[in-house]
């Protein structure tokens, strides 16, 4: 919930080269990459719904995009394994493009044809901005997980 509120409050204020970051997406990708599918989907739904209620977007579009991104990130992490700190950054880049594509599709289906929600020329710069933010937070998150996460016990 806090992530959705931070996204609604900070994302319109933080503008880098006419691009606003998607803080909810960054948080969901980092959680899904670090903790797996179920926590990622939970964060995607709760934070996405909170952000969707505070940001003017078609209802359900943000949680839908984030749920798909969390599933792709968790599936990619399971398929590729942990590749250090590179995977969360690359997953944020790919997830940002995917989420913006889904949002663009939803806007075209629901909104007026005159009002397009996301300009196409801003999708790639937004993806790189989100990946840079993920790179900044990936190391502190990994250190917090190592410090406070319970130790894994053998299954035998």
């Amino acid at each position: 919930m806090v992530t959705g509120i931070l996204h609604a409050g900070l994302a319109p204020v933080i503008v880098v080269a006419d691009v606003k970051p998607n803080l909810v997406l960054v948080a969901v990708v980092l959680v899904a990459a670090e903790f797996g599918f179920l926590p990622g989907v939970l964060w995607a739904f709760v934070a996405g719904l909170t952000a969707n209620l505070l940001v003017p977007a078609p209802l359900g579009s943000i949680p839908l995009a984030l749920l798909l991104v969390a599933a792709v990130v968790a599936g990619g992490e399971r398929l590729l394994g942990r590749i250090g700190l590179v995977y969360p950054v690359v997953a944020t880049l790919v997830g940002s493009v995917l989420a913006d594509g889904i949002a663009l599709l939803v806007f075209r289906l629901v909104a007026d044809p005159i009002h397009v929600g996301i300009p196409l020329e801003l999708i790639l710069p937004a993806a790189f901005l989100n990946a840079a933010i993920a790179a900044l937070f990936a190391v502190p998150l990994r250190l917090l997980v190592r410090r406070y996460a319970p130790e894994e016990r053998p299954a035998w």
Side-chain angles (χ1 to χ4, degrees):
M1 250 173 111
V2 174
T3 308
I5 295 170
L6 282 174
H7 172 73
L10 287 179
V13 177
I14 302 171
V15 178
V16 178
D18 294 333
V19 176
K20 297 176 185 173
N22 192 342
L23 302 177
V24 175
L25 177 108
V26 172
V28 166
V29 169
L30 289 176
V31 167
E34 191 63 41
F35 298 106
F37 178 74
L38 191 59
V41 167
L42 184 66
W43 271 67
F45 182 72
V46 173
L49 191 59
T50 305
N52 206 171
L53 293 174
L54 298 173
V55 174
L59 189 60
S61 63
I62 296 175
L64 172 68
L66 291 177
L67 286 170
L68 291 174
V69 167
V72 167
V73 169
E77 194 268 332
R78 179 168 278 201
L79 180 68
L80 299 174
R82 285 199 176 162
I83 310 174
L85 295 173
V86 174
Y87 181 72
V89 175
V90 173
T92 304
L93 185 74
V94 172
S96 180
V97 171
L98 178 66
D100 286 342
I102 292 168
L104 187 61
L105 179 68
V106 168
F107 274 122
R108 295 215 183 218
L109 290 174
V110 176
D112 294 334
I114 299 170
H115 301 100
V116 176
I118 302 170
L120 288 173
E121 64 271 1
L122 294 181
I123 289 178
L124 222 51
F128 281 108
L129 177 63
N130 292 333
I133 292 171
L136 289 174
F137 286 107
V139 173
L141 178 68
R142 182 74 51 95
L143 291 175
L144 282 172
V145 167
R146 282 189 182 171
R147 179 162 176 96
Y148 294 111
E151 292 184 32
E152 293 182 12
R153 296 203 170 115
W156 44 276

